Structure formats: structure tokens, C-alpha cells
Amino acid sequence: MSHANPVDLVFGGMEKLGPGSDSDTLQVLGMLPKVPHGLIVDAGCGRGRHTLALANRLRNPVHAVDSYEPFLSSLIEGAEGAGIGPLIQTYCMDMADIADRFQGIDLLWSEGAAYNIGFPYALKTWHSALKPGGFVVVSELSWLQEKVPADVRRFFKTGYSDMRSADENRVVAEDAGYRILATHTLPRATWIEGYYDRLEPRARSLLDHPDQAVRDFASETLEEIRIFGSSEDSYGYVFYVMEKV
């Protein structure tokens, strides 16, 4: 019996693979002091909701990097459907290797993906790939308050033990050789609309799936959604808009 891929079952066909929205993506893009042209790389693009938003707005090729081939295939399909196929180039590779493949990057964009290799490591390793004065925009899960409900703190101890406060992340960015130009916190609604509101019923329907791995992934997903509901806005995704110094 072939094992079902839990990620495909839970996330299959979903446009959003994380919190966010096109309007937030474009609002943050507008925080850059000038419009980027030239080499634009989207690191950890997933299905590429934001990749398409960037390419559409900038009318500039976007080089989309992800290590999961099915996501890239669905991005190409989406780009063709949106009539911007020629603007999207995909690379199935690890985002830690970006500096080996690309040099002189004008804008490196990464929504909700840098944690896969660690925020500090991502910023350090990408630094050499950017042209002088190049821009980096990374959204990173961050603590937003000192006061965090106990079960929320407990969840992230295993879920993302390296999570830092927004102020700590500013220091990380400066240490890695960037100047922070602006920040933007994703509104609560962008976690729910088209993401948790679709994910919850799907995960619930998989709780009695014959495959143990699928059941486990489904219940982890539901626990994450429950934690968000009791978070009292103690954490969120913060976009850090940075310039290479």
C-alpha cells in the first residue's frame, strides 16, 4: 500500500500555504525606497501566491526557488493561467544554496519560509548573493508581546523554539549586514481567510484517515489553529524590509 503524503492531503489545491495576502505583499513591496528591477529571487516560494503578485506588479522576471517540485509545477500552471508564464522561472533547490546559483540579486523576497534554514542563517548566507544596496524582504514568525499565554509558549517550545521578538530580529538583521528600512505585521485576518478557515475542515476530515502519518499531521495542524485562537496576538508574521549595507 502506498503511503499518502500528509502535506499533499492537507494542503492540496490550496492557493495559500501560509498566512498572507496579495494586498499585504504589495503594500510591503511599496515600502521599498525604489522599484526593484534586474534579478529578483523568491526564496521558498511554495505555490507562489506572492511570486505571482510580485511578477504581475513589477512586470519583471521572478526566479522562484523551492525544494518541493509539486509546488513549483503548480506555480507554473498558475503563472500560465494568469498570462504571465514568461515572467516566472522555477528552480527546484535548497534556499540555502541561493548564493551558489545567483549573484547580484536586486531583490530577494521570502514569505514565511526563512525559518526552514533559520532566520539568522538565511540572512547571512543570502548576503553575498545580493548586489551592494540590494533589498531583502523576509517575513518571519515573531513574538509581538512580552506576555504570552502559557500553552502558546509551550507549543512554540517544540514548534519553533528559535522564535525571537521583533526587536531581537532587528538586531539579527543588523548583525548580518543589513539596514532595516521598515517592518509590517500581517493582520490577524490574513491567517484566517483562505488559510485556517480552509485548513481546519480539511484537517478535521483527515483525523480518521487509515494512515497514521496523515492522522498525526492533521491533528498537529488542528493544534496549531487552536493555539492561534488562544494566542491573544502574542505572535505574528513580521515583514522585515532590509537593504544590504
Short mmCIF file of all heavy atoms in Angstrom, two decimals, residues 200-245:
data_model
loop_
_atom_site.label_atom_id
_atom_site.label_comp_id
_atom_site.label_asym_id
_atom_site.label_seq_id
_atom_site.Cartn_x
_atom_site.Cartn_y
_atom_site.Cartn_z
N GLU A 200 -8.82 24.10 8.50
CA GLU A 200 -9.44 23.43 9.66
C GLU A 200 -10.38 22.30 9.26
O GLU A 200 -10.21 21.16 9.71
CB GLU A 200 -10.14 24.45 10.56
CG GLU A 200 -10.68 23.80 11.81
CD GLU A 200 -11.05 24.81 12.90
OE1 GLU A 200 -11.33 25.98 12.56
OE2 GLU A 200 -11.07 24.41 14.06
N PRO A 201 -11.38 22.55 8.38
CA PRO A 201 -12.26 21.45 8.00
C PRO A 201 -11.53 20.31 7.29
O PRO A 201 -11.85 19.13 7.47
CB PRO A 201 -13.29 22.10 7.06
CG PRO A 201 -12.78 23.45 6.73
CD PRO A 201 -11.80 23.83 7.77
N ARG A 202 -10.51 20.63 6.50
CA ARG A 202 -9.73 19.59 5.82
C ARG A 202 -9.02 18.70 6.82
O ARG A 202 -9.05 17.48 6.73
CB ARG A 202 -8.64 20.22 4.96
CG ARG A 202 -9.16 20.77 3.67
CD ARG A 202 -8.03 21.48 2.99
NE ARG A 202 -8.39 21.64 1.61
CZ ARG A 202 -7.60 21.38 0.59
NH1 ARG A 202 -6.39 20.98 0.78
NH2 ARG A 202 -8.02 21.52 -0.63
N ALA A 203 -8.33 19.35 7.76
CA ALA A 203 -7.57 18.58 8.77
C ALA A 203 -8.53 17.72 9.59
O ALA A 203 -8.26 16.55 9.86
CB ALA A 203 -6.79 19.54 9.66
N ARG A 204 -9.68 18.31 9.95
CA ARG A 204 -10.66 17.56 10.74
C ARG A 204 -11.14 16.31 10.00
O ARG A 204 -11.29 15.24 10.59
CB ARG A 204 -11.85 18.48 11.04
CG ARG A 204 -12.53 18.21 12.36
CD ARG A 204 -13.47 19.31 12.80
NE ARG A 204 -12.81 20.45 13.43
CZ ARG A 204 -12.12 20.39 14.57
NH1 ARG A 204 -12.00 19.25 15.22
NH2 ARG A 204 -11.56 21.47 15.07
N SER A 205 -11.33 16.45 8.69
CA SER A 205 -11.83 15.31 7.90
C SER A 205 -10.78 14.19 7.76
O SER A 205 -11.10 13.08 7.35
CB SER A 205 -12.27 15.78 6.52
OG SER A 205 -11.13 16.09 5.74
N LEU A 206 -9.51 14.50 8.10
CA LEU A 206 -8.45 13.50 7.96
C LEU A 206 -8.07 12.84 9.29
O LEU A 206 -7.16 12.01 9.34
CB LEU A 206 -7.20 14.16 7.34
CG LEU A 206 -7.36 14.62 5.88
CD1 LEU A 206 -6.21 15.53 5.48
CD2 LEU A 206 -7.44 13.43 4.94
N LEU A 207 -8.78 13.19 10.36
CA LEU A 207 -8.42 12.65 11.68
C LEU A 207 -8.62 11.15 11.78
O LEU A 207 -8.01 10.50 12.62
CB LEU A 207 -9.23 13.35 12.79
CG LEU A 207 -8.78 14.78 13.14
CD1 LEU A 207 -9.74 15.40 14.15
CD2 LEU A 207 -7.35 14.79 13.67
N ASP A 208 -9.49 10.58 10.92
CA ASP A 208 -9.66 9.12 10.97
C ASP A 208 -9.13 8.46 9.70
O ASP A 208 -9.57 7.38 9.31
CB ASP A 208 -11.13 8.74 11.25
CG ASP A 208 -12.09 9.49 10.34
OD1 ASP A 208 -11.60 10.16 9.41
OD2 ASP A 208 -13.32 9.40 10.56
N HIS A 209 -8.17 9.12 9.05
CA HIS A 209 -7.52 8.56 7.86
C HIS A 209 -6.78 7.27 8.25
O HIS A 209 -6.23 7.17 9.34
CB HIS A 209 -6.53 9.59 7.29
CG HIS A 209 -6.01 9.24 5.93
ND1 HIS A 209 -4.95 8.39 5.73
CD2 HIS A 209 -6.41 9.63 4.69
CE1 HIS A 209 -4.72 8.26 4.43
NE2 HIS A 209 -5.59 9.02 3.78
N PRO A 210 -6.77 6.24 7.35
CA PRO A 210 -6.10 4.98 7.71
C PRO A 210 -4.59 5.13 7.96
O PRO A 210 -4.01 4.33 8.69
CB PRO A 210 -6.36 4.08 6.48
CG PRO A 210 -6.91 4.97 5.41
CD PRO A 210 -7.51 6.15 6.09
N ASP A 211 -3.98 6.14 7.41
CA ASP A 211 -2.53 6.30 7.53
C ASP A 211 -2.19 7.13 8.78
O ASP A 211 -2.61 8.28 8.90
CB ASP A 211 -2.00 6.99 6.26
CG ASP A 211 -0.50 6.92 6.13
OD1 ASP A 211 0.19 7.02 7.18
OD2 ASP A 211 0.00 6.77 5.00
N GLN A 212 -1.42 6.53 9.67
CA GLN A 212 -1.04 7.19 10.93
C GLN A 212 -0.37 8.56 10.71
O GLN A 212 -0.65 9.53 11.40
CB GLN A 212 -0.09 6.27 11.71
CG GLN A 212 0.48 6.87 13.00
CD GLN A 212 -0.53 6.87 14.13
OE1 GLN A 212 -1.22 5.89 14.38
NE2 GLN A 212 -0.62 7.99 14.85
N ALA A 213 0.53 8.62 9.72
CA ALA A 213 1.26 9.87 9.46
C ALA A 213 0.30 11.00 9.08
O ALA A 213 0.49 12.15 9.47
CB ALA A 213 2.29 9.66 8.35
N VAL A 214 -0.75 10.64 8.33
CA VAL A 214 -1.74 11.64 7.93
C VAL A 214 -2.55 12.10 9.15
O VAL A 214 -2.77 13.29 9.35
CB VAL A 214 -2.69 11.08 6.83
CG1 VAL A 214 -3.82 12.05 6.53
CG2 VAL A 214 -1.88 10.76 5.57
N ARG A 215 -2.96 11.13 9.99
CA ARG A 215 -3.71 11.48 11.21
C ARG A 215 -2.89 12.41 12.10
O ARG A 215 -3.38 13.40 12.61
CB ARG A 215 -4.08 10.21 12.00
CG ARG A 215 -5.08 9.31 11.32
CD ARG A 215 -5.71 8.34 12.31
NE ARG A 215 -4.77 7.45 12.97
CZ ARG A 215 -4.32 6.29 12.45
NH1 ARG A 215 -4.73 5.91 11.24
NH2 ARG A 215 -3.49 5.52 13.12
N ASP A 216 -1.60 12.09 12.26
CA ASP A 216 -0.71 12.91 13.11
C ASP A 216 -0.59 14.32 12.56
O ASP A 216 -0.68 15.30 13.30
CB ASP A 216 0.69 12.28 13.21
CG ASP A 216 0.67 10.99 14.04
OD1 ASP A 216 -0.36 10.73 14.69
OD2 ASP A 216 1.68 10.26 14.03
N PHE A 217 -0.38 14.43 11.25
CA PHE A 217 -0.20 15.75 10.63
C PHE A 217 -1.48 16.56 10.76
O PHE A 217 -1.44 17.77 11.04
CB PHE A 217 0.21 15.59 9.16
CG PHE A 217 0.64 16.87 8.50
CD1 PHE A 217 1.81 17.51 8.90
CD2 PHE A 217 -0.10 17.44 7.47
CE1 PHE A 217 2.22 18.71 8.29
CE2 PHE A 217 0.30 18.63 6.87
CZ PHE A 217 1.46 19.26 7.28
N ALA A 218 -2.62 15.89 10.59
CA ALA A 218 -3.92 16.57 10.71
C ALA A 218 -4.12 17.09 12.12
O ALA A 218 -4.55 18.23 12.32
CB ALA A 218 -5.05 15.62 10.32
N SER A 219 -3.77 16.28 13.13
CA SER A 219 -4.01 16.75 14.50
C SER A 219 -3.01 17.83 14.90
O SER A 219 -3.36 18.76 15.63
CB SER A 219 -4.06 15.59 15.50
OG SER A 219 -2.83 14.95 15.56
N GLU A 220 -1.78 17.77 14.38
CA GLU A 220 -0.81 18.86 14.62
C GLU A 220 -1.33 20.17 14.02
O GLU A 220 -1.19 21.24 14.62
CB GLU A 220 0.55 18.54 13.97
CG GLU A 220 1.41 17.57 14.76
CD GLU A 220 2.51 16.93 13.89
OE1 GLU A 220 2.93 17.57 12.89
OE2 GLU A 220 2.92 15.80 14.20
N THR A 221 -1.91 20.06 12.82
CA THR A 221 -2.46 21.24 12.15
C THR A 221 -3.59 21.86 12.97
O THR A 221 -3.65 23.08 13.17
CB THR A 221 -2.97 20.86 10.73
OG1 THR A 221 -1.88 20.29 10.01
CG2 THR A 221 -3.50 22.06 9.98
N LEU A 222 -4.48 21.00 13.50
CA LEU A 222 -5.60 21.49 14.31
C LEU A 222 -5.11 22.12 15.61
O LEU A 222 -5.65 23.13 16.07
CB LEU A 222 -6.59 20.35 14.61
CG LEU A 222 -7.40 19.89 13.39
CD1 LEU A 222 -8.15 18.61 13.70
CD2 LEU A 222 -8.36 20.98 12.94
N GLU A 223 -4.05 21.55 16.17
CA GLU A 223 -3.48 22.11 17.41
C GLU A 223 -2.89 23.50 17.13
O GLU A 223 -3.07 24.44 17.92
CB GLU A 223 -2.41 21.15 17.96
CG GLU A 223 -1.67 21.64 19.19
CD GLU A 223 -2.54 21.86 20.43
OE1 GLU A 223 -3.77 21.64 20.38
OE2 GLU A 223 -1.98 22.29 21.45
N GLU A 224 -2.24 23.64 16.00
CA GLU A 224 -1.66 24.94 15.62
C GLU A 224 -2.77 25.99 15.49
O GLU A 224 -2.62 27.13 15.93
CB GLU A 224 -0.91 24.79 14.29
CG GLU A 224 -0.27 26.07 13.80
CD GLU A 224 0.19 25.97 12.34
OE1 GLU A 224 0.82 24.97 11.98
OE2 GLU A 224 -0.11 26.91 11.58
N ILE A 225 -3.90 25.59 14.89
CA ILE A 225 -5.02 26.52 14.70
C ILE A 225 -5.64 26.88 16.07
O ILE A 225 -5.97 28.04 16.32
CB ILE A 225 -6.08 25.91 13.75
CG1 ILE A 225 -5.46 25.73 12.35
CG2 ILE A 225 -7.32 26.78 13.68
CD1 ILE A 225 -6.31 24.94 11.37
N ARG A 226 -5.73 25.88 16.94
CA ARG A 226 -6.27 26.14 18.29
C ARG A 226 -5.38 27.13 19.05
O ARG A 226 -5.86 28.08 19.68
CB ARG A 226 -6.36 24.82 19.07
CG ARG A 226 -7.04 24.97 20.43
CD ARG A 226 -6.94 23.72 21.28
NE ARG A 226 -5.60 23.51 21.82
CZ ARG A 226 -5.06 24.20 22.83
NH1 ARG A 226 -5.75 25.17 23.43
NH2 ARG A 226 -3.84 23.93 23.27
N ILE A 227 -4.06 26.93 18.94
CA ILE A 227 -3.10 27.81 19.61
C ILE A 227 -3.25 29.25 19.10
O ILE A 227 -3.24 30.21 19.86
CB ILE A 227 -1.65 27.29 19.40
CG1 ILE A 227 -1.40 26.04 20.25
CG2 ILE A 227 -0.61 28.36 19.70
CD1 ILE A 227 -1.42 26.26 21.75
N PHE A 228 -3.42 29.37 17.78
CA PHE A 228 -3.60 30.71 17.20
C PHE A 228 -4.84 31.38 17.81
O PHE A 228 -4.82 32.57 18.14
CB PHE A 228 -3.73 30.64 15.68
CG PHE A 228 -3.93 31.98 15.04
CD1 PHE A 228 -2.86 32.86 14.90
CD2 PHE A 228 -5.18 32.38 14.58
CE1 PHE A 228 -3.04 34.11 14.31
CE2 PHE A 228 -5.37 33.63 14.00
CZ PHE A 228 -4.29 34.50 13.87
N GLY A 229 -5.90 30.60 17.98
CA GLY A 229 -7.14 31.13 18.56
C GLY A 229 -6.96 31.62 19.98
O GLY A 229 -7.66 32.53 20.43
N SER A 230 -6.01 31.03 20.72
CA SER A 230 -5.82 31.44 22.12
C SER A 230 -4.56 32.30 22.31
O SER A 230 -4.09 32.50 23.41
CB SER A 230 -5.73 30.19 23.00
OG SER A 230 -4.56 29.46 22.69
N SER A 231 -4.02 32.82 21.20
CA SER A 231 -2.71 33.49 21.25
C SER A 231 -2.74 34.89 21.85
O SER A 231 -1.70 35.42 22.25
CB SER A 231 -2.12 33.58 19.85
OG SER A 231 -2.88 34.49 19.07
N GLU A 232 -3.94 35.51 21.87
CA GLU A 232 -4.07 36.90 22.33
C GLU A 232 -3.07 37.81 21.60
O GLU A 232 -2.47 38.71 22.20
CB GLU A 232 -3.88 36.98 23.85
CG GLU A 232 -4.96 36.23 24.62
CD GLU A 232 -4.67 36.07 26.11
OE1 GLU A 232 -3.88 36.87 26.65
OE2 GLU A 232 -5.21 35.14 26.71
N ASP A 233 -2.89 37.54 20.31
CA ASP A 233 -1.99 38.36 19.47
C ASP A 233 -0.57 38.44 20.01
O ASP A 233 0.12 39.45 19.83
CB ASP A 233 -2.55 39.78 19.27
CG ASP A 233 -3.84 39.76 18.45
OD1 ASP A 233 -3.95 38.90 17.55
OD2 ASP A 233 -4.73 40.58 18.71
N SER A 234 -0.12 37.37 20.66
CA SER A 234 1.24 37.39 21.24
C SER A 234 2.31 37.10 20.20
O SER A 234 3.49 37.31 20.43
CB SER A 234 1.33 36.39 22.39
OG SER A 234 0.94 35.10 21.97
N TYR A 235 1.91 36.58 19.02
CA TYR A 235 2.87 36.34 17.95
C TYR A 235 2.23 36.64 16.60
O TYR A 235 1.01 36.75 16.49
CB TYR A 235 3.41 34.89 17.98
CG TYR A 235 2.37 33.82 17.69
CD1 TYR A 235 2.12 33.40 16.39
CD2 TYR A 235 1.63 33.22 18.72
CE1 TYR A 235 1.18 32.42 16.11
CE2 TYR A 235 0.69 32.24 18.46
CZ TYR A 235 0.47 31.84 17.14
OH TYR A 235 -0.48 30.87 16.88
N GLY A 236 3.08 36.77 15.59
CA GLY A 236 2.57 37.02 14.26
C GLY A 236 3.71 37.02 13.26
O GLY A 236 4.88 36.87 13.65
N TYR A 237 3.36 37.15 12.00
CA TYR A 237 4.40 37.26 10.96
C TYR A 237 4.75 38.73 10.78
O TYR A 237 3.87 39.56 10.54
CB TYR A 237 3.92 36.68 9.63
CG TYR A 237 4.28 35.23 9.48
CD1 TYR A 237 3.35 34.22 9.67
CD2 TYR A 237 5.60 34.86 9.16
CE1 TYR A 237 3.70 32.89 9.55
CE2 TYR A 237 5.96 33.53 9.03
CZ TYR A 237 5.01 32.55 9.23
OH TYR A 237 5.37 31.24 9.11
N VAL A 238 6.04 39.02 10.90
CA VAL A 238 6.52 40.38 10.69
C VAL A 238 7.39 40.39 9.43
O VAL A 238 8.29 39.55 9.29
CB VAL A 238 7.34 40.88 11.90
CG1 VAL A 238 7.89 42.28 11.63
CG2 VAL A 238 6.49 40.87 13.17
N PHE A 239 7.08 41.30 8.52
CA PHE A 239 7.94 41.51 7.36
C PHE A 239 9.08 42.45 7.78
O PHE A 239 8.81 43.52 8.35
CB PHE A 239 7.17 42.20 6.23
CG PHE A 239 6.35 41.28 5.38
CD1 PHE A 239 5.03 41.02 5.70
CD2 PHE A 239 6.89 40.70 4.23
CE1 PHE A 239 4.25 40.18 4.91
CE2 PHE A 239 6.12 39.87 3.44
CZ PHE A 239 4.80 39.61 3.78
N TYR A 240 10.29 42.03 7.48
CA TYR A 240 11.46 42.89 7.71
C TYR A 240 11.94 43.33 6.33
O TYR A 240 12.32 42.49 5.50
CB TYR A 240 12.55 42.13 8.47
CG TYR A 240 12.06 41.66 9.82
CD1 TYR A 240 11.45 40.42 9.98
CD2 TYR A 240 12.15 42.49 10.94
CE1 TYR A 240 10.95 40.00 11.21
CE2 TYR A 240 11.68 42.08 12.18
CZ TYR A 240 11.07 40.83 12.32
OH TYR A 240 10.58 40.44 13.53
N VAL A 241 11.88 44.64 6.08
CA VAL A 241 12.29 45.20 4.78
C VAL A 241 13.68 45.76 4.99
O VAL A 241 13.89 46.66 5.80
CB VAL A 241 11.31 46.32 4.34
CG1 VAL A 241 11.73 46.90 3.01
CG2 VAL A 241 9.88 45.77 4.28
N MET A 242 14.67 45.16 4.28
CA MET A 242 16.08 45.44 4.58
C MET A 242 16.86 45.79 3.33
O MET A 242 16.51 45.42 2.22
CB MET A 242 16.72 44.20 5.22
CG MET A 242 16.05 43.76 6.50
SD MET A 242 16.56 42.09 7.01
CE MET A 242 15.39 41.05 6.14
N GLU A 243 17.96 46.49 3.57
CA GLU A 243 18.88 46.85 2.50
C GLU A 243 20.27 46.35 2.88
O GLU A 243 20.68 46.49 4.04
CB GLU A 243 18.89 48.37 2.34
CG GLU A 243 19.75 48.87 1.21
CD GLU A 243 19.68 50.40 1.08
OE1 GLU A 243 19.16 51.06 2.01
OE2 GLU A 243 20.15 50.90 0.05
N LYS A 244 20.96 45.75 1.92
CA LYS A 244 22.33 45.30 2.19
C LYS A 244 23.23 46.52 2.38
O LYS A 244 23.24 47.43 1.55
CB LYS A 244 22.84 44.46 1.01
CG LYS A 244 24.30 44.03 1.15
CD LYS A 244 24.73 43.14 -0.01
CE LYS A 244 26.20 42.79 0.07
NZ LYS A 244 26.58 41.74 -0.89
N VAL A 245 23.98 46.52 3.50
CA VAL A 245 24.88 47.66 3.74
C VAL A 245 26.27 47.35 3.19
O VAL A 245 26.71 46.22 3.29
CB VAL A 245 25.02 47.97 5.25
CG1 VAL A 245 25.07 49.48 5.45
CG2 VAL A 245 23.90 47.43 6.08
#
